[in-house]
Amino acid sequence: MAFSPSKFANDRAPGAGVTAVLGPTNTGKTHLAIERMLAHSSGVIGLPLRLLAREVYNKIADRAGTEAVALVTGEEKIKPKNPRYWVSTVEAMPRDIDVSFLAVDEVQIAADLERGHVFTDRILHRRGRDETLLLGAATMRPIVERLLPGASIITRPRLSQLEFAGDRKITRQPRRTAIVAFSADEVYAIAELIRRQHGGAAVVLGSLSPRTRNAQVAMFQNGDVDYLVATDAVGMGLNLDVDHVAFASDRKYDGYQFRRLNPAEFAQIAGRAGRATRNGTFGTTGRCAPFEPELVNALQNHTFDSVKMLQWRNSKLDFSSLGALQVSLALPPGHDALTRAPIAEDLRVLDHAARDGEVRDMAHGAAAVERLWDACQIPDYRKIAPAAHAELVTTLYGFLMKRGRIPDAWFAAQVDQADRVTGDIDTLSGRIAQIRTWTFVANRPDWLSDPDHWQGITREVENKLSDALHERLTERFVDRRTSVLMRRLRENSVLNTEIGKTGEVIVEGHAIGRLDGFTFAPDAAEAGSDAKALQAAAQQVLASEIDARATKLAAAPDDQFVLTSDGTIRWTGDAVAKLVAADDALHPRIRIIADDRLSGAPREAVQTRLDLWLKTHFEKLLGPLFGLSKAEDIAGIGRGIAFQLVEALGVLERSKISAEMKDLDQASRASLRKYGVRFGAYHIYFPGLLKPAARALASLLWAEKQDNVDMSALSGAQHLASSGRTSFPVDKALPRDAYRVLGYRQCGERAVRVDILERLADLIRPALAWRESSPGEKPTGAFDGRGFVVTQAMTSLTGSAG
């Protein structure tokens, strides 16, 4: 049935007895709700996160006693015999209890595409007998007034100031900072960086179990680490002693698309800075673009556009048949402040199940359809493909309908799969996601023969996995040794540093990496720990060693340098520079491979020496090309051909310049021959440049100017050419031009060296020209004047079979 405020209550206004307490973060709204609930004989409070529900449960249980308080989330139920107070996630708020007080926290989530419809339902339909509190952002005021006329609205001011602190590098953030990103990979990368620089960071992700999250937060709260790296999970009321919030990203995936956060979402997170009356700051860092002045002003003054529309889905469902359920779920809202929510996970699973013939056969009658809808509510904690999650749901539904229960043996096998504490962070996180699924199932009252038994087992497995995950996170992102080192560096203690004979850099007895040429490469084992701190300690020694190496290279003889097939210049084995393509293929530029420690005069000396060596090396291997490019006694068409031959790096297909060749006079031919040029039937080329070293260099210069050359295929062809083979099979991964630059021509399935091709043509031409009437002796290989016979002379030339 569509919602209409006028139908909401018989005689009372829809908002009667409802108080909306609205305002920015740090206004004490949740604290107020706890105080109000404890003043009543009974109550329920719905919170947006399982983590937050656990936190509020602990606070209320401390004051009212554990026997008086129940905790209900999808995965956890603590239910004493006669609880007076209920704490739950908004999704799991009990429907069938009558309480004096009811509160729903963070009601602005009613606008969220994924979960919004659940919050909207609670806003419209859940009430306490004597008092109902809706807690949330001030942006909800107009829409609450429209939907719930008669509600009392209280606006609470923030208890402290929130100031913008601009942009700072991740490594320059002040102590007691929370750095916010929106993917696990980003959070981990930032935490790694903080660990290296400052000794460690706590990590908070929405997917962490409450136990892991609490253990991580405890490290931050008690000062073991000064930094917290988190997703927007910190924005939902987690109480932390944070002085500064730094946004490392401003975009997140909202379940449908990657988008920039809106100002109210920025505020929800930035508002975690400062506690009670202590002021807080916020700013940007990492890849996050600087905030525009309008956004800064909105965040500092808590002025945001009002929420215009709430997500809605019909909650008065018709279970008479599968089709009736789907129709009732598709009903539109009856109020213009509500919009029908997008298709959510449970609806996708239902649609998938409804297409399954076996499910349709079982889903007859209201009880069977309602049970199917219950099964569709299992969350996809594992974040697998929708179809795979739907398969799990239909399997469980099959058990429930055919056997009345999920078989203990089958359920035990699923739990056993997750019950292993080995593996890395991602593996343990995956197992926690698995066990959360089985914990959710165990918390359904009638799905297992002994739900209490299985709840205990799944909770124990989750606790074990949570402790193991906390341990792995701490191992990876917190380093006690770095903390000690950083303190010694702050105290200006000099750490013992040396550089070994093979370039290993050792600080305080720890090998932290190698100095390869002019580049310091951190040791892989150290990169994830305190490499940056140790590098800082080694800075002075590294700088002086690099300067000494620069002086040595500047005076090094030519034979200490080598140009490798990938364009790297190595000096005594170390990579010191890389070729970079330029417009003139014969004069590429050099990019020195070095970090910032090589600078000023030493860097210039290295550049000068390498430039000189490269020039000498090129002129030695490709001398005829340089000679031809400088020739002043070649003019006209000959000059044009010379230019094209140099551009083609010494091997030019004759067909490319057939027009010019027709007009080239004998004097110009003679001039070109004087510089070593040979005119063949198929190519114009330098016989002197067909040596392997010259062709390997030419192919490297050619590759530098191409896009997407398969370097492994080119290297293979270079190797075959360098072995002295006159022909070899073609690799289809290489273009025809690559073979030309290597001094070969692609002939069908083989590449033949250009000078051998000319000699081969000299053997074949007379055989083809012969006729029965021709005078003289019949040439070897002549057949019928139209074809020829392959001779031993031909195959020995190409080194191949006929």
Side-chain angles (χ1 to χ4, degrees), residues 182-260:
F182 296 99
S183 73
D185 287 346
E186 265 188 300
V187 166
Y188 293 159
I190 292 166
E192 289 269 16
L193 192 57
I194 295 290
R195 177 194 180 178
R196 292 178 216 155
Q197 291 287 344
H198 301 294
V203 168
V204 170
L205 302 157
S207 59
L208 294 185
S209 62
R211 192 180 177 96
T212 308
R213 192 274 314 195
N214 289 342
Q216 287 288 306
V217 166
M219 289 195 308
F220 178 76
Q221 290 293 82
N222 63 27
D224 284 353
V225 294
D226 278 328
Y227 298 88
L228 178 76
V229 189
T231 60
D232 50 347
V234 294
M236 286 297 165
L238 299 183
N239 293 314
L240 302 161
D241 290 320
V242 171
D243 293 340
H244 179 70
V245 170
F247 289 87
S249 174
D250 60 359
R251 300 178 69 79
K252 74 168 188 174
Y253 184 68
D254 64 5
Y256 297 89
Q257 61 181 350
F258 279 98
R259 61 169 177 82
R260 192 178 191 218

Side-chain angles (χ1 to χ4, degrees), residues 550-551 553-555 592 599-611:
T551 304
L553 181 146
I592 294 175
S599 60
R603 191 182 188 99
E604 286 172 23
V606 168
Q607 185 80 47
T608 302
R609 179 67 188 100
L610 292 174
D611 285 342

Side-chain angles (χ1 to χ4, degrees), residues 509-667:
H510 299 286
I512 65 164
R514 283 190 76 252
L515 187 59
D516 182 3
F518 301 108
T519 308
F520 175 72
D523 189 65
E526 292 290 333
S529 58
D530 44 340
K532 279 285 168 68
L534 293 164
Q535 277 181 56
Q539 177 66 37
Q540 205 172 345
V541 174
L542 282 168
S544 61
E545 172 67 13
I546 283 173
D547 283 353
R549 289 186 178 195
T551 304
K552 206 169 167 186
L553 181 146
D558 283 356
D559 61 6
Q560 287 190 359
F561 300 98
V562 173
L563 178 63
T564 63
S565 61
D566 66 350
T568 302
I569 298 175
R570 290 187 174 273
W571 169 56
T572 61
D574 288 344
V576 291
K578 192 99 170 111
L579 288 195
V580 180
D583 291 341
D584 181 349
L586 288 179
H587 297 89
R589 290 177 292 112
I590 289 177
R591 177 174 57 76
I592 294 175
I593 300 171
D595 50 36
D596 295 342
R597 296 177 184 91
L598 180 65
S599 60
R603 191 182 188 99
E604 286 172 23
V606 168
Q607 185 80 47
T608 302
R609 179 67 188 100
L610 292 174
D611 285 342
L612 177 62
W613 174 79
L614 193 71
K615 182 174 182 289
T616 308
H617 182 66
F618 275 30
E619 288 177 355
K620 180 177 160 189
L621 291 184
L622 301 175
L625 287 180
F626 286 92
L628 185 60
S629 67
K630 291 173 188 166
E632 292 179 359
D633 56 343
I634 301 172
I637 292 169
R639 184 100 194 120
I641 290 172
F643 175 78
Q644 290 189 63
L645 186 55
V646 171
E647 282 281 291
L649 297 167
V651 180
L652 179 63
E653 288 184 5
R654 187 164 180 148
S655 58
K656 293 272 172 71
I657 54 164
S658 54
E660 291 96 322
M661 287 302 297
K662 281 178 192 160
D663 298 331
L664 186 68
D665 58 36
Q666 289 304 318

Side-chain angles (χ1 to χ4, degrees), residues 116 184 373-374 386 437 611 618 627 681 720 738:
W373 182 237
D374 273 351
T437 303
D611 285 342
F618 275 30
L720 289 169

Side-chain angles (χ1 to χ4, degrees), residues 171-182:
T171 53
R172 296 287 173 87
Q173 295 300 324
R175 294 173 69 250
R176 314 310 293 163
T177 288
I179 300 172
V180 179
F182 296 99

Side-chain angles (χ1 to χ4, degrees), residues 473-510:
L473 289 167
T474 305
E475 277 170 14
R476 182 166 162 189
F477 301 124
V478 181
D479 192 329
R480 309 291 178 201
R481 186 174 64 152
T482 305
S483 302
V484 173
L485 279 168
M486 292 307 294
R487 191 163 61 250
R488 288 189 62 190
L489 286 169
R490 280 198 296 269
E491 292 162 0
N492 290 325
S493 303
V494 178
L495 302 186
N496 181 31
T497 306
E498 56 184 312
I499 294 175
K501 285 178 183 168
T502 57
E504 66 274 18
V505 181
I506 300 160
V507 178
E508 292 282 320
H510 299 286

